[in-house]
Amino acid sequence: MPRVRRVLGVLLLLAATTSLGWSQRFRTFVEPNVPYDGRFTFVRLRYTEFGPNGWAFDYPAMERNFMTIVQDLTAMRSHVAGSNVHRMDDPLLSRYPIAYLSEPGYWYPDESEAAGLRAWLQKGGFLIVDDFYLRQWEVFARGMRTVLPGAQFIRLDRTHPIFNAFFTIGTLDGMHHPSTRSARAEYYGIFEGNDPSRRLMVIVNFNNDIGDYMEWSGQGWYAVNLSNDAYKFATNYLVYALTH
């Protein structure tokens, strides 16, 4: 009986620790936004949460790592030690040309969020959508069409200029969502007026999570080639958006 009590005590302690870990995971401390000073600032979009706070997954380590790579690779002046979080209907979002949307499988934009994001995109904003897979597409597509009614999701192949904006990406095969190898990466674009000859407004990483690969790139969790590819895709997106 003493041994059983000891085992039960350990199990209860583990359960309590696990519960605490999960509760902490879903509480995100949002750092103060960096001051607007003309330097490039990585912007993440925050949205109303219906489930885990997916908008904040990989925050802020992914931003730090990515901006460090961008500073090393380019002559851009960028904020490395800080980044911004904005709601979609925040008027200050108009100061920034690129934004990142994480976990749109839990994204249900209300009227104000949809109108804010729509206005930003129509004024020239470029949106990177990342970290969702399989059946989560249905929620994302519904949300995106709330923002842009009639939006068409056009699958991209490697000939699109975005995949050669800085790095030459030889193949779009090989990456997958970190949660399952069965979710093979696909890339979609939403174009102005649904016309592929016009401006690309949204790049969609489906069945992929380049943010997660970048967040843990220094920890050895993933194969080096996957982390390297994540940085290549992200750098290309940034350079393409700033030059188009």
Side-chain angles (χ1 to χ4, degrees):
M1 290 301 295
R3 182 180 181 184
V4 171
R5 284 195 293 269
R6 285 198 299 272
V7 171
L8 288 175
V10 170
L11 292 175
L12 288 172
L13 178 61
L14 288 173
T17 303
T18 302
S19 298
L20 178 61
W22 277 99
S23 66
Q24 290 175 338
R25 179 182 180 182
F26 297 134
R27 292 199 305 270
T28 301
F29 173 74
V30 180
E31 301 173 337
N33 286 346
V34 298
Y36 180 71
D37 60 5
R39 285 185 286 172
F40 180 81
T41 304
F42 190 94
V43 172
R44 179 185 291 263
L45 295 180
R46 181 173 187 166
Y47 52 83
T48 303
E49 301 160 11
F50 295 94
N53 57 343
W55 68 266
F57 282 7
D58 311 318
Y59 170 86
M62 182 270 281
E63 285 89 329
R64 299 288 194 278
N65 293 343
F66 180 39
M67 287 296 95
T68 299
I69 292 293
V70 168
Q71 181 165 273
D72 288 345
L73 290 175
T74 73
M76 286 177 54
R77 297 175 60 247
S78 56
H79 283 283
V80 175
S83 60
N84 281 20
V85 174
H86 290 281
R87 292 193 176 276
M88 297 173 186
D89 53 4
D90 184 348
L92 295 181
L93 180 61
S94 63
R95 291 178 170 178
Y96 305 97
I98 302 172
Y100 177 82
L101 174 62
S102 173
E103 284 268 359
Y106 297 93
W107 173 49
Y108 297 86
D110 60 25
E111 183 177 342
S112 179
E113 290 173 324
L117 185 57
R118 182 186 311 117
W120 178 78
L121 288 168
Q122 291 173 340
K123 290 178 180 178
F126 183 83
L127 180 64
I128 301 168
V129 182
D130 190 39
D131 191 6
F132 70 120
Y133 63 108
L134 303 179
R135 293 289 299 276
Q136 293 176 3
W137 175 273
E138 299 169 11
V139 175
F140 158 70
R142 188 183 306 115
M144 200 71 241
R145 288 192 173 115
T146 301
V147 176
L148 296 172
Q152 296 179 9
F153 306 99
I154 298 175
R155 188 165 182 176
L156 305 178
D157 61 37
R158 63 166 301 276
T159 63
H160 191 278
I162 200 169
F163 299 119
N164 297 277
F166 189 91
F167 293 102
T168 297
I169 296 177
T171 179
L172 300 185
D173 299 325
M175 294 198 75
H176 59 83
H177 195 281
S179 296
T180 172
R181 289 181 174 273
S182 66
R184 309 304 300 184
E186 301 172 5
Y187 305 89
Y188 293 85
I190 300 176
F191 294 85
E192 193 173 39
N194 290 322
D195 183 351
S197 68
R198 299 177 66 184
R199 181 172 67 94
L200 177 63
M201 300 190 295
V202 182
I203 182 72
V204 182
N205 300 317
F206 179 52
N207 286 339
N208 204 350
D209 184 357
I210 62 172
D212 203 52
Y213 287 120
M214 289 190 289
E215 178 190 12
W216 300 105
S217 58
Q219 308 301 319
W221 279 28
Y222 301 120
V224 171
N225 64 304
L226 295 177
S227 295
N228 286 346
D229 284 349
Y231 282 117
K232 290 178 182 179
F233 278 103
T235 302
N236 276 19
Y237 296 164
L238 187 153
V239 172
Y240 177 88
L242 292 178
T243 55
H244 288 74

